[in-house]
Amino acid sequence: MNRHYRALELDKILNKLAERASCAESKEAALALEPEFDLKRAERNLKMTDDAFVLSGKFGAPSFGNLKSVANELRRADAGGMLTMRELLRIAEVLRVIRGVKQWQSKCASSENSLNQLFGGLVANKFLEDKITSAIINEEELYDTASPALSDIRRKIRTATSKARETLDKIIHSSTYKKYLQDAIVTQRDGRYVVPVKAECRGNVPGLVHDTSSSGQTVFIEPMGVVQANNDIRVLISKEDAEIERILFELSALAGSYSDQIISSYRCLCDLDLIFAKADMAYKMKAVTPKLNEHGIIDLKKARHPLIPSDKVVAVDINLGKDFDTLVITGPNTGGKTVTLKTLGLLTLMAMCGMMIPAADNSEVSIFRRVLVDIGDEQSIEQSLSTFSAHMTNIIGILKQANASTLALIDELGAGTDPVEGAALAIAILEKLRSRGAKIAATTHYAELKEFALRTDGIENGSCEFDIKTLRPTYRLLIGVPGKSNAFAISLRLGLDNNVVNRAKELVNRDSREFENVVSTLEARRQNLEKQLESARSLTQKANTEKQKAESELDRARKQAELVLEKAREEASRIVSRTSAQADALIDELDRARKAKNDDPALKAKLRRDIRGLEDSANPVEKKRQDGEYTLPRPLKVGDNVLIYDLDKDAVVLELPDKDNMVLVQAGIIKTRVELKNLRLKKSETKKNVSGFRNTRGHKPSNVNIRPVTEIDVRGQTAIEAIMAVDSAIDNAILTNVRNLTIIHGKGTGVLRAEIQKHLRTVKYVKSFRLGNFGEGESGVTIVELK
């Protein structure tokens, strides 16, 4: 591997990727993975990984098994060679995995993604898979059903074997031969059935000797009675071997005919295996898909080094190439400067290799033709190179190769030599790299480089934060702020004598002290601003939470209102349906009365009551609900102050409840009867005088006992006279709590009716009016409903 990539530990990432691959070829491809320099191809590779990541999240990753390449076996079969049972089973296993992955893909076939072309390259071959698996049991045995001939041969072998064993069983249990046998068992030698006979009795058992025991005390004899049966078995076994060979040749030829198809599908399978291994590693790292560009712009948000454990790694924000092309990172040792450089370089290489990166959404990475690195101490005794010489050798190589498509990462730039010369050399190197158009990130301890970054456009300071109180780095990268080495503070905290530290401070020149003081002031202000920003974020988050809560409550109220409205609509619909049915029944009754010319006053009165009942039932306004079961604290007395509950009106009791529990009360100048349960006893004193109240129109009545009027006849009057009479009748009706008034104006020319109805539209006490129905006077009367 390229030594620059190895310095950034890309090889360790590829090893982790290979561990997640299933196929041997996929593992090799993972280890050989190299960054892609073409933007379009890099975007395509990254898109495939992202699609695999999404599909794995929705449907789970497909299973690729533990496959091995069968290309050599298939080529040999295609050339006419015979494959072994093991090789054929491996081909069947490849076909099974191909079929399984195709079935998995069918579950998410509706998803359009960049992997469809690879999935389309998988060709399942259930026919060949079944032919192999239905014939071969394992690596050493075929099923009897592999062919009719094999089944017949094995049946004959079983018959001949059974016959031979029966003969031998008779011999070993025979009283004649039993005494000559070492053991009463049947065994085999060279594939032939024999019995163990004592060596001294070998002449007593006629047959062929096949073997002798190691002690020489037992000989294995094939009795003459089973020689023919054993011969038959051997012949049948030879036929069985020949049939097995024929079947294997047939299966091999069949597999060979599909060799190109299977090899092509296997390659697609390996490519998919590698892509899903990338997706699996992305899940492990909680990675995202970055945006890619070829303009040298890097913007990493909450980037994490993938090789540092998740419970220890600190996320950093790194940007380069947009507002500045060079980042100079300073800070104390062990503060995280080198890790920041490696994170920047490694995540760039991972994205170029088509891998998702451990960072936050909307991170952006550039494609570089070269990623050149000088990280670590490469001192070499064999090559007589000091640390400085080794660094310079690497930097010389970087300067030779650097161009506008280069990312240069240099750790401890200019270190290992005289500080003055080293700082000057470091500045010159940065200027040379910038003149080549390279994007640069370098770490240093030199204050000269901090000053150089402050006064030079296109170069930005960065620092790794360090907590002086705890003497621990926070590993956070702060861009725009130069860092301090904090050597004095660290030395004091570690126990170095105060006088020594103070003397060291005196030896630092004035300019350096002033610069460090400025840096310290900037750092204090930054920390203060960061606390204020965090407080503002907290308040904003709280406000957003309250806003969401209010919106939720408003949404709930809207839904509740919709439910109430829907319930009201349903109730209105039921009222309309019921009223419509009652109206139809009333119309039918009126039609029958008209046809019968029935002018019975009782019938008319009944019809009027039915009409009023219909109006009441069609009125959706409910009376005020009773507040539970109310019981009067004592029986009512004449003169008690009471409240008419449903009208919320004060009244005085005039008469005690009658048999129907109706109480005569006076509310203002109006007398009316009210149900006892609708009255609430008030605690004020009893009123003695109930007269002298004014009505709502401001007139003082001449008599409290006004007679209610429900009907007025204005026939023969002029329009003005009729209107005055109607106004008077309306006043009387309101005062006496009458809600319906009948105005008799006659039919005539209709002028008087029109004038009266025109006037009624202007009277605010009129709720509605209509012409009379049949039995009420029809168009000769107007029925007025008062509020």
Side-chain angles (χ1 to χ4, degrees):
M1 178 179 284
N2 182 313
R3 70 176 183 85
H4 297 285
Y5 299 166
R6 187 178 290 108
L8 292 172
E9 301 177 299
L10 179 63
D11 56 323
K12 295 180 181 179
I13 294 295
L14 297 185
N15 280 326
K16 287 182 173 291
L17 178 62
E19 290 172 2
R20 285 173 168 76
S22 301
C23 310
E25 281 75 6
S26 304
K27 294 179 183 293
E28 292 175 5
L31 294 173
L33 203 60
E34 295 221 351
E36 179 58 65
F37 304 127
D38 181 77
L39 178 63
K40 295 297 182 184
R41 287 197 291 267
E43 288 178 333
R44 183 196 64 193
N45 293 341
L46 199 54
K47 181 68 168 61
M48 287 182 174
T49 305
D50 183 64
D51 287 340
F53 183 84
V54 173
L55 290 174
S56 297
K58 286 183 178 180
F59 308 101
S63 174
F64 294 94
N66 186 19
L67 298 180
K68 295 182 179 179
S69 175
V70 291
N72 291 336
E73 292 85 343
L74 288 168
R75 293 302 182 200
R76 195 168 79 252
D78 189 33
M82 185 189 79
L83 304 181
T84 64
M85 296 182 198
R86 173 186 291 183
E87 291 169 336
L88 287 168
L89 286 175
R90 281 173 54 185
I91 293 172
E93 177 63 12
V94 170
L95 293 173
R96 185 194 64 77
V97 173
I98 292 171
R99 179 170 53 84
V101 174
K102 286 288 287 184
Q103 288 176 347
W104 178 90
Q105 191 258 347
S106 66
K107 293 191 301 183
C108 47
S110 58
S111 302
E112 288 295 329
N113 58 73
S114 57
L115 300 176
N116 284 344
Q117 184 175 358
L118 285 175
F119 280 118
L122 299 177
V123 181
N125 194 333
K126 189 80 163 53
F127 167 72
L128 177 58
E129 180 188 348
D130 288 344
K131 286 287 286 184
I132 295 172
T133 55
S134 64
I136 303 175
I137 301 175
N138 51 46
E139 297 179 356
E140 297 178 351
E141 188 177 2
L142 290 180
Y143 286 106
D144 291 352
T145 55
S147 74
L150 183 62
S151 177
D152 182 61
I153 292 169
R154 287 183 173 176
R155 180 182 55 78
K156 291 179 179 179
I157 290 174
R158 287 192 293 271
T159 302
T161 300
S162 177
K163 182 178 178 182
R165 291 190 68 89
E166 286 177 4
T167 302
L168 289 173
D169 283 342
K170 290 178 181 178
I171 292 174
I172 64 176
H173 292 101
S174 166
S175 57
T176 305
Y177 297 104
K178 189 174 183 180
K179 58 188 175 182
Y180 304 128
L181 302 179
Q182 195 71 262
D183 293 296
I185 59 171
V186 176
T187 184
Q188 280 189 323
R189 286 294 185 273
D190 298 329
R192 302 180 75 86
Y193 288 103
V194 296
V195 294
V197 180
K198 297 175 183 177
E200 63 272 17
C201 303
R202 60 189 303 175
N204 299 103
V205 180
L208 304 175
V209 177
H210 283 279
D211 197 6
T212 304
S213 67
S214 57
S215 63
Q217 295 181 2
T218 305
V219 292
F220 297 93
I221 296 176
E222 178 185 5
M224 296 303 297
V226 296
V227 170
Q228 186 57 44
N230 277 333
N231 289 341
D232 293 341
I233 291 171
R234 293 300 297 271
V235 171
L236 289 171
I237 288 175
S238 297
K239 291 182 178 180
E240 180 189 29
D241 292 340
E243 180 60 18
I244 290 173
E245 187 174 330
R246 187 196 67 79
I247 293 170
L248 293 179
F249 264 115
E250 182 179 313
L251 292 174
S252 300
L254 185 61
S257 65
Y258 294 107
S259 60
D260 291 338
Q261 182 187 92
I262 298 173
I263 292 171
S264 176
S265 295
Y266 181 79
R267 288 171 181 164
C268 291
L269 202 65
C270 291
D271 291 342
L272 286 169
D273 182 30
L274 179 58
I275 293 169
F276 277 93
K278 292 179 182 178
D280 182 44
M281 192 166 72
Y283 268 108
K284 181 72 173 177
M285 296 188 303
K286 297 180 181 178
V288 300
T289 301
K291 300 175 185 176
L292 295 182
N293 68 79
E294 53 185 1
H295 308 300
I297 298 174
I298 298 175
D299 186 9
L300 297 174
K301 304 178 188 297
K302 298 188 181 304
R304 307 178 303 278
H305 196 289
L307 297 177
I308 299 177
S310 58
D311 59 335
K312 296 180 180 178
V313 69
V314 176
V316 293
D317 295 335
I318 311 172
N319 58 79
L320 177 67
K322 187 175 182 180
D323 299 323
F324 50 90
D325 56 34
T326 302
L327 179 63
V328 176
I329 305 173
T330 52
N333 290 325
T334 71
K337 300 191 300 297
T338 304
V339 171
T340 299
L341 280 189
K342 287 189 173 183
T343 302
L344 172 60
L346 181 56
L347 267 55
T348 298
L349 292 177
M350 287 175 63
M352 292 169 65
C353 289
M355 287 183 274
M356 298 166 67
I357 62 174
D361 290 329
N362 299 318
S363 292
E364 190 170 1
V365 173
S366 176
I367 299 297
F368 292 97
R369 291 289 302 175
R370 296 183 180 90
V371 177
L372 306 176
V373 179
D374 176 41
I375 294 178
D377 185 359
E378 298 187 22
Q379 182 176 5
S380 173
I381 296 175
E382 292 83 0
Q383 299 178 23
S384 300
L385 292 177
S386 66
T387 300
F388 176 75
S389 299
H391 280 302
M392 278 299 103
T393 301
N394 290 337
I395 289 172
I396 290 168
I398 292 173
L399 289 173
K400 288 180 180 179
Q401 300 179 62
N403 57 26
S405 185
T406 297
L407 173 64
L409 305 174
I410 305 175
D411 191 26
E412 300 292 351
L413 180 60
T417 187
D418 177 75
V420 175
E421 294 180 354
L425 195 56
I427 292 173
I429 291 170
L430 290 181
E431 288 177 339
K432 184 64 174 178
L433 287 172
R434 293 190 69 209
S435 69
R436 297 282 185 90
K439 302 298 181 289
I440 312 155
T443 68
T444 184
H445 286 283
Y446 293 142
E448 291 84 352
L449 280 180
K450 304 175 192 177
E451 296 174 10
F452 174 65
L454 285 173
R455 67 173 184 265
T456 308
D457 292 336
I459 302 180
E460 189 62 83
N461 269 305
S463 63
C464 289
E465 192 178 49
F466 193 86
D467 191 339
I468 299 298
K469 295 179 181 178
T470 61
L471 288 180
R472 291 180 181 275
T474 65
Y475 302 108
R476 294 177 56 208
L477 177 66
L478 306 174
I479 293 180
V481 181
K484 293 180 62 179
S485 296
N486 297 304
F488 295 156
I490 294 173
S491 299
L492 280 173
R493 291 295 296 252
L494 291 175
L496 185 63
D497 187 271
N498 206 17
N499 294 328
V500 175
V501 175
N502 290 334
R503 176 58 180 158
K505 289 180 179 179
E506 292 173 0
L507 294 174
V508 176
N509 64 53
R510 180 180 176 184
D511 292 340
S512 297
R513 284 200 303 271
E514 290 179 354
F515 180 78
E516 290 297 326
N517 289 336
V518 170
V519 171
S520 298
T521 302
L522 289 174
E523 176 66 12
R525 289 179 180 176
R526 182 196 64 77
Q527 292 181 358
N528 185 42
L529 288 174
E530 198 166 79
K531 289 179 181 177
Q532 294 178 15
L533 179 61
E534 186 62 32
S535 177
R537 283 175 181 162
S538 177
L539 292 174
T540 302
Q541 185 176 5
K542 184 178 179 181
N544 288 336
T545 302
E546 292 297 328
K547 179 183 176 183
Q548 290 175 359
K549 185 178 179 181
E551 289 176 348
S552 175
E553 288 294 324
L554 180 61
D555 187 54
R556 187 184 64 80
R558 286 198 186 105
K559 290 180 180 177
Q560 187 67 26
E562 288 175 2
L563 290 174
V564 172
L565 285 174
E566 184 63 27
K567 187 175 180 181
R569 291 189 191 100
E570 292 175 358
E571 182 64 24
S573 177
R574 285 195 293 271
I575 292 173
V576 169
S577 300
R578 183 175 66 250
T579 305
S580 177
Q582 292 173 350
D584 290 342
L586 188 57
I587 290 170
D588 291 342
E589 191 172 351
L590 288 171
D591 287 342
R592 288 195 297 272
R594 187 185 294 112
K595 290 176 182 178
K597 297 182 180 179
N598 190 344
D599 199 25
D600 185 4
L603 176 62
K604 289 183 179 180
K606 177 181 178 301
L607 290 174
R608 286 193 185 97
R609 286 195 303 273
D610 290 345
I611 290 171
R612 291 192 185 97
L614 184 62
E615 291 172 350
D616 291 340
S617 66
N619 184 6
V621 180
E622 298 182 0
K623 289 185 177 181
K624 185 176 179 181
R625 295 184 178 180
Q626 299 291 327
D627 54 349
E629 292 295 329
Y630 176 78
T631 304
L632 288 168
R634 59 174 175 79
L636 291 178
K637 298 177 182 179
V638 175
D640 280 345
N641 288 328
V642 293
L643 174 70
I644 304 174
Y645 183 70
D646 61 351
L647 299 178
D648 199 22
K649 279 284 188 182
D650 291 336
V652 179
V653 177
L654 299 179
E655 292 181 4
L656 296 179
D658 57 15
K659 61 180 181 179
D660 296 325
N661 276 336
M662 299 298 290
V663 182
L664 180 64
V665 298
Q666 181 172 342
I669 63 170
I670 299 174
K671 292 180 180 179
T672 183
R673 289 193 178 275
V674 182
E675 287 185 287
L676 179 62
K677 65 181 181 180
N678 195 27
L679 296 177
R680 303 288 185 269
L681 184 62
K682 300 194 75 172
K683 295 181 180 180
S684 58
E685 295 182 358
T686 304
K687 289 190 178 181
K688 302 298 182 181
N689 183 13
V690 295
S691 63
F693 294 93
R694 292 183 177 272
N695 65 9
T696 57
R697 296 170 71 88
H699 301 292
K700 186 174 182 179
S702 59
N703 187 3
V704 173
N705 297 319
I706 301 174
R707 186 173 63 84
V709 174
T710 60
E711 188 177 278
I712 180 173
D713 190 350
V714 295
R715 287 178 291 185
Q717 298 180 10
T718 63
I720 295 175
E721 292 172 343
I723 289 171
M724 292 176 65
V726 167
D727 278 344
S728 178
I730 290 173
D731 287 346
N732 181 282
I734 291 172
L735 291 173
T736 56
N737 203 27
V738 173
R739 289 289 175 261
N740 291 290
L741 178 66
T742 302
I743 304 173
I744 304 172
H745 45 63
K747 297 181 180 179
T749 60
V751 175
L752 185 60
R753 178 184 67 224
E755 289 296 327
I756 290 172
Q757 292 184 352
K758 180 179 179 182
H759 175 68
L760 289 174
R761 291 189 181 94
T762 66
V763 179
K764 64 180 181 179
Y765 302 104
V766 174
K767 182 178 182 181
S768 64
F769 59 86
R770 60 178 175 81
L771 291 175
N773 294 318
F774 178 75
E776 293 179 322
E778 300 182 352
S779 62
V781 301
T782 295
I783 309 298
V784 179
E785 182 182 359
L786 299 175
K787 295 180 181 177

